[in-house]
Amino acid sequence: MIDSHAAARFRKLGTLTIFAVYFVILVGGIVRASGAGMGCPDWPTCFGQWVPPTDESQLPSNYHEIYAARGYENTTFNLIKTWTEYTNRLVGVTIGFLIFLTAWSSRIYIKTDKTTFYLAISAFLLVGFQGWLGSAVVASNLKPFMITLHMLVALFIVALLIYAISRSQQTLLTAIDANWVNPRFTLILKIAMAMTLLQVAMGTQVRESVDYIAHQHSYIDRQYWRDSFPIIFYVHRSFSAIILFTNLWLAWTIHINVEKNSLLLKVAYALTGLIVTAILAGVSLDRLGFPAFAQPIHLLMANLIFGAQFFLFICLHYAKGKALQ
């Protein structure tokens, strides 16, 4: 038997860690949108200090030469960019502690459900890899591919955590009424998840192009960035309509088949809201001169959409004795 208090602690820690990872994705999006990625040109320190400076006078007089010799193009100290990037790192460290506590608390499942334990441990190890990857991103002078890989690893960490927490609660999930689920719904849900991943992949290509365009414009004159967008942007934009209608069908099917207080209905409503928010953020980027605030929101929504879809899939997987098998 699993201690109910220990199980509740694992669930709460894991859930908190999931939200923390999403928060660091948001902060990372802010860093990227503001061009603050090199606000700290070294890692793990920032300008050689564990607590970054608040004024350029606190740096060595030859700090430009020091970092230019390491291959960095822009070595000028910027207070806002430095502390934005430093905050991103602090949040990342906090997640490291949270994921360690989550992994440690998962030891209660070693005898009863080793898979849950291994999932939590895998997420912990991936966070360590993610920390190393963060240093590699800085060392690469913010190469777009490295930034995208950094984000995709975060998405995979969230998926592992969602699976681990859901698996630990499978007794509750098996009580969900899934008798209405048919092969067509299952197939469309899987297609929706695949489409989301494809949309994220296209989005990363768009963001890589935007990073290049932003660099060319020195991160100013944002209203002109759209003039140089690649064709993949228009494919990405049009594909969002297919994703919207596919997920609306899923949400409507759940709405007409489950009770009003059902967990599935709450997830369906949340999924719909996330997709609408993502599209509105995308429209603002397209039509309102690429406002900086919309970039991290758009990125966060994309990650949350896949998380909601994956959680919905896991819930149905365990409902009524793994109904999706």
Side-chain angles (χ1 to χ4, degrees):
M1 290 292 292
I2 298 292
D3 182 356
S4 60
H5 293 292
R9 183 165 55 250
F10 171 71
R11 182 183 69 252
K12 291 177 181 179
L13 276 171
T15 303
L16 178 61
T17 303
I18 290 171
F19 282 107
V21 174
Y22 279 129
F23 182 66
V24 81
I25 290 173
L26 174 63
V27 175
I30 294 173
V31 169
R32 192 169 184 177
S34 62
M38 294 307 295
C40 292
D42 48 0
W43 193 95
T45 57
C46 183
F47 284 105
Q49 303 176 26
W50 289 107
V51 178
T54 56
D55 189 86
E56 190 173 14
S57 62
Q58 298 173 319
L59 295 171
S61 58
N62 64 335
Y63 82 93
H64 288 289
E65 291 78 8
I66 293 174
Y67 291 102
R70 299 179 184 178
Y72 300 116
E73 297 178 9
N74 186 0
T75 60
T76 302
F77 173 76
N78 182 300
L79 177 63
I80 295 177
K81 291 183 177 182
T82 293
W83 279 86
T84 299
E85 167 59 15
Y86 185 66
T87 300
N88 180 42
R89 295 183 182 186
L90 289 179
V91 174
V93 171
T94 301
I95 288 176
F97 285 114
L98 285 174
I99 195 69
F100 170 76
L101 292 175
T102 299
W104 177 254
S105 64
S106 71
R107 70 190 187 281
I108 62 174
Y109 294 100
I110 291 178
K111 294 182 178 179
T112 59
D113 185 10
K114 290 184 178 180
T115 300
T116 297
F117 172 73
Y118 291 143
L119 286 168
I121 293 298
S122 297
F124 171 68
L125 295 175
L126 267 181
V127 166
F129 172 74
Q130 182 78 325
W132 171 84
L133 190 59
S135 67
V137 169
V138 174
S140 72
N141 204 10
L142 301 183
K143 287 184 178 179
F145 170 77
M146 295 296 292
I147 296 174
T148 299
L149 180 61
H150 195 53
M151 187 274 291
L152 291 176
V153 171
L155 186 63
F156 188 55
I157 291 172
V158 169
L160 285 177
L161 289 170
I162 290 175
Y163 187 22
I165 300 304
S166 300
R167 187 180 178 89
S168 72
Q169 303 299 308
Q170 59 182 285
T171 301
L172 297 176
L173 297 181
T174 54
I176 295 175
D177 180 14
N179 291 324
W180 56 272
V181 177
N182 56 46
R184 182 175 67 164
F185 183 90
T186 302
L187 176 62
I188 293 179
L189 175 56
K190 291 178 179 179
I191 291 174
M193 293 171 62
M195 288 195 302
T196 299
L197 290 176
L198 177 60
Q199 183 75 329
V200 169
M202 288 191 291
T204 59
Q205 294 181 52
V206 173
R207 282 192 297 273
E208 288 177 7
S209 299
V210 169
D211 286 344
Y212 176 77
I213 296 168
H215 181 72
Q216 294 296 106
H217 287 266
S218 300
Y219 292 90
I220 59 175
D221 299 326
R222 304 178 72 92
Q223 67 273 20
Y224 300 115
W225 294 6
R226 188 183 180 282
D227 298 338
S228 304
F229 281 0
I231 294 177
I232 190 67
F233 164 77
Y234 300 98
V235 178
H236 178 72
R237 184 182 64 180
S238 300
F239 195 56
S240 64
I242 300 175
I243 290 178
L244 172 63
F245 289 117
T246 301
N247 285 276
L248 283 178
W249 183 87
L250 291 171
W252 175 252
T253 302
I254 293 173
H255 174 77
I256 63 177
N257 282 286
V258 303
E259 298 178 354
K260 291 184 178 180
N261 61 345
S262 170
L263 173 63
L264 296 181
L265 188 59
K266 294 177 182 178
V267 175
Y269 286 163
L271 178 60
T272 302
L274 291 171
I275 292 174
V276 171
T277 303
I279 290 176
L280 290 176
V283 169
S284 69
L285 291 170
D286 184 24
R287 300 297 181 181
L288 300 180
F290 220 81
F293 75 88
Q295 278 186 277
I297 293 175
H298 192 60
L299 172 63
L300 177 63
M301 291 303 106
N303 284 272
L304 286 170
I305 288 167
F306 180 76
Q309 291 172 330
F310 185 65
F311 180 63
L312 179 61
F313 178 83
I314 294 300
C315 286
L316 292 176
H317 179 68
Y318 286 117
K320 294 299 181 182
K322 300 184 178 180
L324 293 189
Q325 286 189 347

